Amino acid sequence: MTDPESLPYRPCAGFMLVNAASLVFVGQRIDASAHGYWQMPQGGIDPGEDLREAALRELHEEIGVGPDKVEVIAGPSRALRYDLPPELIGKVWKGRYRGQEQYWFLGRFLGEDSDIDLEAHNPPEFNAWRWVEPGLLPELIIPFKRATYEDVLKEFREFI
């Protein structure tokens, strides 16, 4: 078994997208380990990639929303970390990471709902999407990421 303490955190950028009604975009995960849970767009940061550009890239890749449809309102004041549960250590991300170190951005959606395209990513990461009240986020996310989503909400509450 892999010792989690010996593994680094995976660098990750996330995007909290809010619409004109101050509701937050969430997508329902397709992958089996998180099936039935919802999350905001997020993903790995490429080596040398700017944090903001990584967050916008992930938004575009996962839900088809380009930077022309988003007004970035706020960026991260700090990195947020979470650890994978023991049963996932050594299994996800080819066993190279113990969890993620995430940098979150907040942006206002300037487009129409029809601009959202879950097929933009091949294969898709989400099988459904919806707009939700911000306070519902922690109960929709897979439990081991719940504290991170609570921290994202605290970080951006004044801007939503």
Side-chain angles (χ1 to χ4, degrees), residues 137-155:
L137 289 171
E139 62 191 68
L140 296 173
I141 190 69
I142 197 162
F144 64 85
K145 294 182 183 180
R146 196 162 284 153
T148 301
Y149 268 45
E150 289 169 351
D151 287 343
V152 171
L153 277 172
K154 286 178 199 167
E155 178 91 11

Side-chain angles (χ1 to χ4, degrees), residues 2-131:
T2 306
D3 175 18
E5 298 294 319
S6 69
L7 298 172
Y9 286 94
R10 177 180 182 245
C12 175
F15 207 97
M16 177 184 269
L17 185 67
V18 296
N19 66 11
S22 296
L23 299 175
V24 179
F25 174 93
V26 290
Q28 187 175 44
R29 300 278 311 182
I30 287 177
D31 63 305
S33 66
H35 184 68
Y37 290 105
W38 298 75
Q39 74 175 40
M40 296 181 286
Q42 55 121 90
I45 300 169
D46 295 333
E49 189 174 24
D50 174 78
L51 297 177
R52 178 185 165 123
E53 293 306 313
L56 288 168
R57 176 184 51 74
E58 286 294 331
L59 190 65
H60 187 254
E61 287 178 2
E62 292 186 4
I63 68 170
V65 172
D68 60 320
K69 303 284 184 187
V70 177
E71 173 192 2
V72 177
I73 298 169
S77 64
R78 63 188 172 96
L80 301 174
R81 286 182 172 176
Y82 73 82
D83 291 321
L84 290 170
E87 66 272 14
L88 294 180
I89 297 285
K91 294 182 180 152
V92 298
W93 305 308
K94 300 178 184 173
R96 298 185 346 218
Y97 302 102
R98 67 192 286 182
Q100 290 197 99
E101 181 171 85
Q102 299 183 320
Y103 299 88
W104 285 91
F105 289 80
L106 170 68
R108 180 87 46 208
F109 183 49
L110 304 175
E112 303 292 325
D113 284 358
S114 60
D115 294 321
I116 296 171
D117 178 12
L118 300 184
E119 300 291 322
H121 192 274
N122 189 17
E125 296 202 18
F126 303 122
N127 60 12
W129 69 272
R130 61 184 173 153
W131 297 106

